[in-house]
Amino acid sequence: MFEDMHPSIIFATMAIFLAMIVILNTMLYKPLLKSIDERNDSIKNDEAKAKQYSQDISNANDEVEAIYANTREEVFKIKQQAINAAKEEANQIIKAKKEELERRMNSFYLELENQKKEFKENLSQYLPDLKQALQNNIKKIGIKE
């Protein structure tokens, strides 16, 4: 079986086989492995960037939530201040109106008291005349009966 094979053909076949391994190694396998390694590195870098972006987005979301909460608190404080200011202003207006009404009421009572005094004075001036007229009317009624 091996009798037909010449050692030169075996050496030539081995030399061609080794040459093909060297050629394939340098022209095919190394560039292919290099490309695969670059692709793996690119995937790892993309994964790292994706994780970083995810972390950045998470941090940004947390910051937005904090800003939103602070804004809500500030809006509530401003709203409360406006409500308190409005209540204070309303209370001052009510107080001023009450004072004005009390002043007007006191003025009315004084005027009423003055009118009462004038009426009494007028009545007391005309009381003798009225008394006389009343007695005359009683006498007339008494006469007719």
Side-chain angles (χ1 to χ4, degrees):
M1 163 169 170
F2 290 111
E3 299 159 0
D4 291 344
M5 294 174 112
H6 290 292
S8 64
I9 294 177
I10 293 175
F11 285 123
T13 304
M14 283 194 341
I16 290 173
F17 179 74
L18 289 175
M20 287 301 288
I21 288 177
V22 169
I23 291 171
L24 286 176
N25 190 30
T26 57
M27 293 184 87
L28 179 66
Y29 298 132
K30 282 187 180 181
L32 185 62
L33 290 175
K34 183 180 176 186
S35 174
I36 290 172
D37 287 341
E38 287 174 358
R39 175 89 171 121
N40 287 339
D41 290 342
S42 174
I43 290 171
K44 285 180 184 177
N45 287 337
D46 289 346
E47 286 176 349
K49 285 180 184 177
K51 286 180 184 178
Q52 182 62 38
Y53 292 151
S54 176
Q55 185 66 31
D56 291 346
I57 289 172
S58 176
N59 291 341
N61 283 340
D62 292 344
E63 187 176 335
V64 166
E65 286 295 323
I67 290 171
Y68 181 69
N70 288 338
T71 304
R72 239 182 302 142
E73 289 176 14
E74 287 180 27
V75 165
F76 180 75
K77 287 178 184 177
I78 291 170
K79 186 177 167 184
Q80 282 302 113
Q81 289 173 350
I83 289 171
N84 292 340
K87 283 181 181 178
E88 182 64 31
E89 184 178 343
N91 286 338
Q92 289 176 355
I93 290 171
I94 290 170
K95 183 179 177 183
K97 287 291 181 182
K98 280 183 180 179
E99 289 173 357
E100 180 184 346
L101 288 175
E102 284 179 17
R103 199 171 356 97
R104 288 175 65 187
M105 186 68 109
N106 289 336
S107 174
F108 174 75
Y109 283 144
L110 288 175
E111 182 66 29
L112 189 63
E113 190 65 36
N114 289 337
Q115 288 178 0
K116 182 179 169 183
K117 284 180 184 178
E118 284 180 28
F119 181 71
K120 280 184 180 181
E121 288 174 5
N122 287 339
L123 188 62
S124 61
Q125 286 177 357
Y126 294 111
L127 191 59
D129 293 337
L130 288 174
K131 188 176 182 183
Q132 185 64 35
L134 188 61
Q135 285 175 354
N136 289 340
N137 284 339
I138 291 176
K139 285 180 185 179
K140 285 181 187 178
I141 295 174
I143 295 175
K144 290 182 181 178
E145 290 181 17

